[in-house]
Amino acid sequence: MDNGKGGPDESQAWLKSLGFRFDPFEHLNAADDPHLGEYVVDLDKYLSVWEDCPTLVFAPPGGGKTTLRVYTYRSLWVGRDGLHPFPVQCYLPFATVHENWGETFERDFGRALAYALLLSLSCRPERFTNMTADARRALTNFFYAQLGGELQNRLAVLEQEHAPSVLAEQIDRAYLLPDSPTVESVKLFCAEIRACLPQATAHKTGIDTLDDFINLVVRDLNFQSLHVLIDGADGESNYDPQAAAKQVNRLLEKAARWQEQGIYLKLFLPLEMEEFVASNWHRIHIEWTPALLAKVIEQRVYVASGGNFNSLSGAGGIGLRNVPIEQELAEAVAPLPREIIFIAHRLFEAYKNRSQGAGKLEPEDLNAALKEYRADNEQRHISPAAVSAF
Amino acid sequence: MTTPKLIPYSAQDFKGRIEEIKLVKDLTAKIASGKRKAEEPNVITFRGIRTMGKTWLALHLKRTILPQIDGVTPLLLGLSATFDPENYIPQGTEKRDDELFADLDKLNAENPTPEEFCVKALKWIAKQLGTTTTEKAEPSELSRWLVRDIKAKYSHKVIALIVDSAFEANWEYLKKLEEYLLVPLAALPNALIILTGRGNAHPWISPYLRIADEQQVKALNCEETEKQVGERLKEIGVTVEKLMDVTGGNPGLNYFFAYSIDWKSASDTIINLLLDIYSEKYTREIRIYFEALCVLDGFNEDEISLMLAKYHNDEKYVKMTDEDKRTVKQKMLETHLVRWKDGKYVMDDTLRRLAGYFLKSHRDNGKWERLHQGAKELYENWAERFPKHAEYFMTKAKYHADALGIISATEVPSSPSGAKPVKIKDAKIKATKKAVRKKTKAKTTKKSKPVQSK
């Protein structure tokens, strides 16, 4: 049961026909999916990513790095043993190698920290309003130094909408926090920041002032530690694993010192970078089998159906009774979750084209999706490393 | 409505649950010795329908089993009122400080807000353990102090929190309890959390709860049923097997039927109680759906219209729209007595048994025969329409044919006409199989025809 949550609107009557509240295969980009945190499978293998130590997570493109990163972020926000680690997500393409990479990284990292804190505090404004006046001023200064004029714009969005989720949509949809604050507390938060703004300066801060930042986060905001989740190493088209690994190695040189300060790096990296990453920190590999890929579908179907069923046969007609749909799809695709989501999306498209959204899934929809996937396989880009890795 | 008086929990009356108790004891021992690995869950979930004995299990663990283990501090938090004929209180009326009961199935003005309840629960635990609390404290503060103090003062003990009827509570309460109580405790190496409940799995966010060890609370076996109500069954001259034919070993129902004079009436009452009809949460309409579908071992929307048509003996139901069928299915799902399993919706076994027993014991209205006959014909029809799945559908058709055959062969009251029921021949099944074989052979012959040379 979805415990009172809403269903599809009129324009998506096909979802209703199939028994879904939303399309579980709509978003091929994991970070765009607001339900991502509910889909994660095989969690017990990756528990160490929540531990207080630097961790390297490797997977091929489309292999689930972003899903795990987003899930880690959201579940860290729920907390652990009474204290909350403060999670920060950074999406930093490492690909472009240039002389000033270090400065660029510092700037982007600082901005990511500022946005993470702004969004987090907008969901839990009492943490800000309960700080001392000096601490509030220091934090506002940090926001202003990192974001400049953008800070005014973001505050304006919060003041107008009173909903951090709207701000998150603009910044990064992966920021989906479990709490919705009251309108009054959001208004107070914005007012308190505005009150501190006239004294704020444009003094730039970078990674060298991370000590100040961690003191602020841990001491003044009562967070236990800082977990920095970094993704996006393969985010650009001119991505070179070896060059990108150089930047990662530079970052990892700081990992030991940061660990002593309660800052834990969690890097979500493409598999082809692994051989170039010189580090003894804990490594996790996200790996997929057809059975696990079938579970990906089952979990999404379960969530999207509001817990009513966990198999596509629940949306299927008589002709799909006793057909192991998920297994057939899983065995047809390259062993990557992005591929299984893609083919499941194709299945729904075939259904809509055939039936105009009436009735249930039928064998011809499944056959059409499999046929199209096989025909398209060569045209779509699937990283050779991803295919040859299995 | 007259129902037997259910008794509150007592250790002497608790029977069975050997596996469940062993599971808890083994995990407790692992936690106490520090041998539990980080990736092994310290959260166990026991699921089952009403009357299956979840609350009794929770009470037995809290009051009898866990106190017997050195170094364990058990606490019990109940989140929802239980199966309640005539104000039955399974925990008894004596108040115990280390047990807190609430009724949180609704989020309304009469109930505390989720944050308020978290504060109440955290303060209650703090009082039991002697940890830090103040008059005015936020749940985040109480949570932090609790964990800090457990680490400082109770690291040598196992803190066992049992949360009964967890999933029946409104999910807004569970969201806050997850953050402020359950996850902070679950993250501690010396904590054990046991959840009991029915209904759909709650979508916990934290991995500590997502990887909980899930167990189904099973029915009692013959031996356990004998221990539970054997004496009473001897008094009324009923065998354990006959009782279990009706109850399936469900402990609540074992007791009900053993102490009921009239089983026909008792089954009627129990079905209404299980479906919340007396509390007016649902109407009798929902009962009709369950009775109409109880002969099936599983169903989807496609079976609904025909089975209702057979139940009512009215062909107008065959024309039900897809929307109507979905509505029926959804209403059934909301009772938590239907779930998806192995590619179909299955009714809770206890309710299915009871509904079947009720229909059989009122067979003079012909519903039982009509439903089985209708199902048999439906699946035979589908076997013809979908030859790829003919074997699957014919197996289902045979199940219903056999059910009709079994009734004919056993001692049953005569039909309304007074004529002796005739064993249904499975000629139709044989004919359908033959037709399918013929079709399949024709296809194979066509495929293997040699290609004509040009």
Side-chain angles (χ1 to χ4, degrees):
Chain A
M1 298 301 107
D2 64 4
N3 214 315
K5 293 184 187 144
D9 59 34
E10 285 302 321
S11 65
Q12 296 196 300
W14 67 272
L15 284 169
K16 206 175 167 189
S17 292
L18 295 185
F20 294 118
R21 297 178 297 143
F22 59 87
D23 180 353
F25 309 111
E26 180 184 359
H27 301 286
L28 295 181
N29 183 0
D32 290 338
D33 193 334
H35 297 276
L36 192 63
E38 297 166 74
Y39 299 153
V40 180
V41 300
D42 219 28
L43 266 179
D44 51 337
K45 279 197 197 145
Y46 310 119
L47 281 181
S48 53
V49 82
W50 284 272
E51 300 301 317
D52 287 343
C53 66
T55 306
L56 305 169
V57 179
F58 291 101
K65 294 191 298 302
T66 299
T67 302
L68 186 58
R69 189 237 322 155
V70 170
Y71 175 72
T72 304
Y73 175 83
R74 292 178 189 168
S75 55
L76 280 173
W77 189 244
V78 170
R80 214 177 57 190
D81 62 8
L83 290 169
H84 285 80
F86 180 70
V88 177
Q89 300 190 90
C90 301
Y91 196 80
L92 300 172
F94 287 78
T96 311
V97 179
H98 56 77
E99 282 177 15
N100 298 327
W101 180 86
E103 276 181 34
T104 309
F105 181 82
E106 284 173 21
R107 184 198 65 215
D108 290 346
F109 192 33
R111 282 169 59 82
L113 290 175
Y115 270 129
L117 203 46
L118 185 67
L119 278 168
S120 306
L121 291 176
S122 64
C123 288
R124 300 271 173 89
E126 67 279 0
R127 281 189 184 254
F128 182 78
T129 53
N130 287 345
M131 289 168 85
T132 63
D134 283 344
R136 288 204 302 275
R137 273 194 289 274
L139 188 51
T140 305
N141 198 59
F142 177 77
F143 285 146
Y144 185 70
Q146 296 302 324
L147 304 177
E150 277 181 51
L151 179 60
Q152 297 274 12
N153 298 338
R154 304 301 184 190
L155 285 176
V157 169
L158 276 175
E159 283 158 345
Q160 189 177 332
E161 305 291 339
H162 306 128
S165 55
V166 176
L167 192 62
E169 291 257 334
Q170 295 176 356
I171 297 169
D172 181 350
R173 290 188 70 174
Y175 278 103
L176 190 72
L177 299 172
D179 285 314
S180 299
T182 62
V183 169
E184 291 72 27
S185 58
V186 174
K187 280 181 180 171
L188 183 59
F189 173 65
C190 294
E192 295 275 357
I193 292 190
R194 285 211 184 274
C196 297
L197 266 178
Q199 290 92 40
T201 70
H203 169 66
K204 283 286 183 186
T205 59
I207 290 181
D208 291 333
T209 63
L210 199 56
D211 287 346
D212 294 334
F213 183 83
I214 190 67
N215 281 336
L216 189 149
V217 159
V218 172
R219 184 195 65 223
D220 294 313
L221 288 170
N222 262 322
F223 287 108
Q224 176 191 35
S225 55
L226 183 65
H227 287 238
V228 184
L229 315 177
I230 298 184
D231 196 351
D234 51 350
E236 291 186 358
S237 55
N238 57 343
Y239 160 65
D240 172 3
Q242 199 165 352
K246 276 190 189 157
Q247 320 306 342
V248 168
N249 288 333
R250 279 179 60 182
L251 198 58
L252 285 171
E253 283 166 11
K254 301 179 194 290
R257 183 169 67 83
W258 285 356
Q259 186 181 24
E260 287 164 17
Q261 294 174 281
I263 307 172
Y264 306 104
L265 270 181
K266 312 283 180 182
L267 293 165
F268 295 80
L269 303 171
L271 195 58
E272 56 263 29
M273 272 179 70
E274 188 174 15
E275 60 179 303
F276 306 115
V277 173
S279 160
N280 292 328
W281 296 115
H282 180 60
R283 296 183 180 217
I284 293 173
H285 295 88
I286 305 178
E287 293 170 339
W288 296 95
T289 60
L292 280 175
L293 289 177
K295 255 174 124 174
V296 167
I297 298 211
E298 287 163 5
Q299 186 63 16
R300 284 172 178 254
V301 165
Y302 181 77
V303 174
S305 68
N308 286 350
F309 51 90
N310 69 349
S311 159
L312 286 169
S313 54
I318 304 165
L320 284 175
R321 294 277 180 108
N322 204 39
V323 173
I325 305 173
E326 288 79 24
Q327 268 170 260
E328 287 205 26
L329 294 175
E331 282 162 12
V333 302
L336 296 168
R338 188 177 289 174
E339 292 300 301
I340 193 94
I341 294 162
F342 180 73
I343 199 173
H345 174 74
R346 281 292 179 93
L347 171 63
F348 279 13
E349 291 300 306
Y351 157 78
K352 281 190 280 180
N353 289 339
R354 175 186 59 79
S355 70
Q356 277 73 58
K360 298 287 189 185
L361 298 173
E362 295 294 349
E364 48 265 50
D365 304 324
L366 178 59
N367 293 337
L370 289 167
K371 191 176 167 186
E372 278 180 36
Y373 180 84
R374 286 175 193 133
D376 283 353
N377 218 7
E378 289 175 12
Q379 273 97 50
R380 280 190 312 112
H381 171 68
I382 301 175
S383 156
V387 176
S388 65
F390 300 89
Chain B
M1 172 182 75
T2 309
T3 54
K5 220 74 180 121
L6 288 175
I7 52 171
Y9 165 78
S10 76
Q12 300 94 289
D13 293 311
F14 186 92
K15 308 292 177 205
R17 303 281 173 243
I18 310 291
E19 283 178 33
E20 291 88 341
I21 292 170
K22 184 177 185 309
L23 181 71
V24 170
K25 282 171 108 169
D26 287 349
L27 181 56
T28 307
K30 257 190 179 171
I31 293 171
S33 64
K35 289 183 179 162
R36 182 182 71 91
K37 292 182 195 154
E39 61 270 20
E40 280 181 79
N42 58 343
V43 181
I44 302 176
T45 301
F46 290 113
R47 309 181 71 84
I49 65 154
R50 277 180 163 184
T51 71
M52 199 51 97
K54 301 183 297 299
T55 298
W56 267 54
L57 175 60
L59 287 162
H60 192 62
L61 289 169
K62 152 63 179 49
R63 293 181 180 180
T64 305
I65 300 297
L66 290 171
Q68 290 171 355
I69 307 174
D70 276 341
V72 177
T73 302
L75 300 163
L76 176 59
L77 176 63
L79 297 187
S80 191
T82 56
F83 182 58
D84 185 25
E86 300 176 35
N87 297 317
Y88 167 57
I89 302 172
Q91 65 268 29
T93 50
E94 183 199 331
K95 200 174 176 311
R96 294 178 184 227
D97 288 340
D98 53 3
E99 295 175 4
L100 178 66
F101 292 95
D103 194 5
L104 303 177
D105 68 325
K106 291 182 183 59
L107 184 61
N108 56 26
E110 288 161 20
N111 274 341
T113 65
E115 285 80 8
E116 284 168 356
F117 184 75
C118 277
V119 168
K120 183 177 180 180
L122 285 161
K123 280 185 173 176
W124 162 70
I125 294 179
K127 195 173 173 192
Q128 303 315 307
L129 299 181
T131 56
T132 308
T133 181
T134 63
E135 188 56 41
K136 286 181 185 179
E138 298 287 326
S140 54
E141 288 172 308
L142 289 166
S143 179
R144 238 183 359 261
W145 295 336
L146 178 66
V147 168
R148 180 198 65 195
D149 291 351
I150 287 177
K151 282 179 178 173
K153 297 182 200 172
Y154 286 95
S155 59
H156 58 292
K157 280 188 167 272
V158 176
I159 308 298
L161 176 66
I162 302 168
V163 185
D164 183 45
S165 301
F167 309 121
E168 292 92 297
N170 184 283
W171 283 4
E172 293 302 313
Y173 289 104
L174 293 185
K175 228 165 127 177
K176 291 298 174 187
L177 282 171
E178 175 176 12
E179 184 178 354
Y180 294 120
L181 178 59
L182 298 177
V183 171
L185 279 186
L188 293 172
N190 60 326
L192 167 66
I193 296 178
I194 299 169
L195 307 170
T196 76
R198 61 189 171 97
N200 285 340
H202 177 69
W204 304 112
I205 297 177
S206 171
Y208 291 104
L209 300 178
R210 290 272 287 267
I211 61 164
D213 187 357
E214 289 244 339
Q215 300 287 326
Q216 287 292 328
V217 175
K218 299 186 196 70
L220 302 183
N221 59 29
C222 270
E223 198 183 320
E224 290 161 344
T225 299
E226 167 75 46
K227 282 182 185 164
Q228 184 197 10
V229 290
E231 289 292 321
R232 171 64 186 170
L233 291 179
K234 281 189 188 121
E235 285 172 23
I236 61 172
V238 171
T239 63
V240 168
E241 288 75 21
K242 185 153 166 77
L243 176 71
M244 288 186 69
D245 262 348
V246 176
T247 66
N250 178 300
L253 301 192
N254 283 349
Y255 188 88
F256 244 84
F257 279 88
Y259 287 88
S260 291
I261 298 163
D262 175 7
W263 282 20
K264 264 166 82 164
S265 169
S267 65
D268 184 39
T269 301
I270 299 285
I271 293 171
N272 287 339
L273 282 167
L274 287 175
L275 291 173
D276 260 326
I277 287 173
Y278 293 125
S279 68
E280 294 178 3
K281 192 172 176 184
Y282 298 106
T283 65
R284 290 201 68 91
E285 178 197 30
I286 197 83
R287 175 147 173 189
I288 290 171
Y289 302 153
F290 277 91
E291 284 185 20
L293 292 160
C294 73
V295 303
L296 305 177
D297 67 349
F299 64 93
N300 209 325
E301 287 163 26
D302 304 288
E303 279 95 334
I304 289 174
S305 51
L306 178 104
M307 300 310 288
L308 282 173
K310 293 301 173 189
Y311 181 90
H312 291 290
N313 208 11
D314 186 345
E315 291 301 300
K316 80 173 185 203
Y317 287 91
V318 175
K319 293 179 187 142
M320 279 174 77
T321 62
D322 288 345
E323 177 75 36
D324 290 337
K325 291 183 232 175
R326 269 199 298 273
T327 301
V328 168
K329 179 200 74 182
Q330 196 57 35
K331 283 182 179 175
M332 294 177 77
L333 283 167
E334 283 166 10
T335 65
H336 301 303
L337 290 161
V338 169
R339 61 192 170 101
W340 182 260
K341 188 184 172 197
D342 299 333
K344 52 188 184 282
Y345 291 105
V346 297
M347 206 177 288
D348 169 76
D349 186 60
T350 299
L351 180 57
R352 189 178 166 225
R353 255 176 211 280
L354 273 178
Y357 175 80
F358 179 79
L359 286 177
K360 268 195 228 176
S361 56
H362 292 80
R363 61 176 71 80
D364 53 333
N365 60 27
K367 283 177 184 163
W368 178 252
E369 277 79 11
R370 282 204 306 275
L371 288 169
H372 271 295
Q373 185 66 26
K376 172 179 157 306
E377 288 165 4
L378 177 73
Y379 291 124
E380 285 166 353
N381 177 268
W382 287 0
E384 280 188 40
R385 284 172 54 196
F386 301 94
K388 265 191 179 175
H389 308 295
E391 193 176 332
Y392 173 72
F393 289 127
M394 288 311 297
T395 304
K396 291 168 95 63
K398 187 175 185 310
Y399 165 80
H400 294 286
D402 288 348
L404 291 163
I406 287 168
I407 286 169
S408 308
T410 55
E411 198 177 298
V412 295
S414 57
S415 64
S417 67
K420 212 174 169 183
V422 175
K423 187 166 176 145
I424 307 286
K425 287 182 184 168
D426 60 350
K428 179 93 195 267
I429 296 172
K430 284 182 181 164
T432 306
K433 276 188 175 170
K434 193 178 173 185
V436 168
R437 275 199 299 272
K438 205 174 165 184
K439 255 189 196 167
T440 313
K441 193 178 174 187
K443 270 192 182 168
T444 316
T445 310
K446 198 174 173 186
K447 273 187 188 167
S448 62
K449 250 186 177 174
V451 174
Q452 300 284 335
S453 54
K454 287 184 183 169

